[in-house]
């Protein structure tokens, strides 16, 4: 695997390669969810590029940034074993030569104000900026993203339209633990007991994705979902929301004429977890 911390060297290296490029931006602390993206990328392109960059501009909570796990040696080993071709692992000044405070302002519309946008101030501006800069460095044919960060996929597509970036976006399904818990780098900060309790999110998502369990109103379903989360120890619960899967318009009621989605964000201890599931 070719590894560099410098954008110039990355560009020179990629310019010398023949073939298509699939690119996976990550913040490291890699788990099987990330590695499933690598294997999906290998089906699409000749060269798979991964970046590991814990982007300071997308952290609305400085403590979360400080506590974000950074096991770079283990990550390099995992990527090598997975057959990743290139790892770009920059420092902050390689991405933001003028400093991380000089962000471009993207018009993300509704996405900036709803759900994650509502609860994480400035988060998506940070995401849009860093992914734009990374895409300009890598110039991939395919951009591989995870459905776990569903709203993020929509934000990145919006940014790409505004910046005229033409990579094809491929969205990969969420990898889960045997318990159903969505894999996440932040799970390493949970105790075994907390991990077991956190599986209630996916249990509830599964339950309400079954039409037979929807003989109730969304309001009643949401209340019961929130109660289950509270009883499992989630506190606070930022949201349990029903939305149109196309544009994330929040829905007051199940509407079988739309493709819908349930999205959740809640804290287990000081670890904020998110998950979602599409329902028909
Ligand atoms: P992160 O390192 O958390 O920024 O994630 C990097 C990419 O991996 C994003 O596109 C995520 O949506 C994706 N990802 C994170 N967790 C999972 C998972 N459990 N299954 C599939 N993809 C994931």
């Amino acid at each position: 695997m070719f590894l560099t911390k410098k954008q110039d060297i990355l560009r020179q290296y990629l310019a010398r390669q023949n073939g298509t490029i699939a690119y996976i931006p990550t913040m490291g602390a890699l788990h099987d969810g990330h590695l499933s993206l690598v294997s999906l990328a290998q089906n699409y392109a000749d060269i798979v590029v991964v970046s590991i960059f814990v982007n300071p501009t997308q952290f609305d909570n400085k403590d979360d940034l400080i506590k974000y796990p950074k096991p770079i040696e283990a990550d390099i080993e995992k990527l090598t074993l997975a057959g990743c071709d290139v790892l770009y692992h920059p420092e902050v000044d390689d991405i933001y030569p003028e400093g991380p405070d000089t962000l471009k302002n993207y018009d993300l519309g509704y996405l900036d104000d709803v759900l994650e946008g509502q609860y994480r101030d400035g988060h998506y501006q940070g995401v849009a900026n860093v992914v734009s800069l990374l895409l300009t460095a890598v110039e991939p044919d395919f951009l591989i993203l995870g459905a776990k960060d569903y709203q993020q996929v929509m934000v990145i597509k919006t940014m790409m339209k505004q910046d005229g970036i033409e990579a094809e976006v491929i969205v990969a399904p969420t990898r889960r633990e045997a318990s159903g818990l969505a894999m996440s780098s932040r799970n390493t900060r949970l105790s075994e007991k907390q991990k077991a309790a956190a599986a209630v999110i996916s249990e509830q998502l599964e339950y309400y994705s079954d039409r037979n369990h929807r003989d109730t109103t969304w309001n009643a379903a949401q209340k019961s979902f929130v109660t289950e989360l509270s009883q499992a120890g989630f506190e606070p619960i930022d949201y349990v929301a029903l939305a149109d899967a196309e544009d994330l318009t929040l829905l007051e009621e199940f509407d079988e004429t739309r493709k819908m989605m349930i999205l959740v964000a809640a804290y287990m201890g000081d670890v904020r977890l998110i998950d979602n599931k599409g329902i028909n």
Side-chain angles (χ1 to χ4, degrees):
M1 182 172 70
F2 181 80
L3 190 158
T4 181
K5 285 174 160 297
K6 298 286 176 202
Q7 195 168 142
D8 307 357
I9 296 174
L10 174 75
R11 283 172 189 272
Q12 283 164 21
Y13 179 82
L14 291 176
R16 288 199 304 271
Q17 308 304 307
N18 288 319
T20 51
I21 298 176
Y23 169 52
I24 306 161
T26 82
M27 298 204 300
L30 302 178
H31 49 66
D32 284 352
H34 295 114
L35 299 179
S36 73
L37 268 53
V38 173
S39 99
L40 185 68
Q42 286 162 340
N43 296 333
Y44 280 89
D46 304 308
I47 302 161
V48 174
V49 178
V50 169
S51 61
I52 294 180
F53 179 60
V54 182
N55 173 36
T57 68
Q58 72 187 69
F59 282 81
D60 50 317
N61 176 340
K62 289 299 159 211
D63 196 45
D64 190 27
L65 173 60
I66 292 162
K67 287 190 178 151
Y68 204 85
K70 299 174 190 77
I72 187 64
E73 294 303 328
D75 285 351
I76 291 172
E77 201 173 317
K78 285 176 188 169
L79 289 174
T80 306
L81 280 173
C84 172
D85 300 293
V86 178
L87 170 61
Y88 174 45
H89 173 46
E91 302 291 340
V92 172
D93 61 358
D94 203 57
I95 295 288
Y96 299 109
E98 324 222 316
D101 296 330
T102 53
L103 292 190
K104 183 168 163 182
N105 190 44
Y106 285 92
D107 179 6
L108 303 175
Y110 182 66
L111 295 172
D112 229 355
D113 301 327
V114 75
L115 304 174
E116 290 301 279
Q118 179 186 346
Y119 283 92
R120 303 189 65 188
D121 198 23
H123 171 63
Y124 282 136
Q125 290 297 333
V127 168
N129 272 268
V130 77
V131 178
S132 173
L133 294 166
L134 288 164
L135 284 171
T136 307
V138 180
E139 295 191 52
D141 301 280
F142 301 94
L143 173 64
I144 318 287
L145 301 171
K148 171 161 178 287
D149 298 279
Y150 191 82
Q151 192 173 354
Q152 172 170 279
V153 174
M154 297 174 76
V155 163
I156 290 172
K157 284 183 174 171
T158 306
M159 170 279 287
M160 288 171 73
K161 229 179 242 161
Q162 274 168 44
D163 282 353
I165 299 174
E166 282 183 353
E168 184 180 338
V169 175
I170 311 292
V171 183
T174 301
R175 277 292 285 267
R176 297 176 180 282
E177 305 288 352
S179 67
L181 176 65
M183 290 181 183
S184 163
S185 306
R186 289 185 177 87
N187 291 355
T188 58
R189 291 173 47 207
L190 298 173
S191 69
E192 288 307 314
K193 212 169 150 192
Q194 286 176 315
K195 264 190 221 168
V200 71
I201 297 183
S202 64
E203 279 163 29
Q204 290 294 298
L205 287 172
E206 275 297 321
Y207 185 86
Y208 287 109
S209 65
D210 181 344
R211 272 171 187 267
N212 297 322
H213 296 145
R214 271 186 264 135
D215 48 358
T216 158
T217 61
W218 167 244
N219 196 271
Q222 186 192 40
K223 270 205 183 103
S224 143
F225 200 135
V226 166
T227 304
E228 292 288 336
L229 293 188
S230 295
Q231 283 174 355
F234 280 100
E235 164 69 31
I237 296 161
D238 281 352
Y239 57 81
V240 172
L242 180 70
D244 184 308
E246 300 287 324
D247 58 9
L248 280 189
T249 306
L250 297 182
L251 302 175
E252 297 291 326
E253 200 39 84
F254 291 118
D255 176 352
E256 310 296 341
T257 66
R258 303 178 189 239
K259 174 104 183 71
M260 295 174 285
M261 174 138 242
I262 300 176
L263 304 101
V264 180
Y267 284 82
M268 178 60 79
D270 65 348
V271 182
R272 187 172 184 277
L273 299 178
I274 61 169
D275 201 352
N276 66 70
K277 188 162 171 55
I279 62 177
N280 286 311

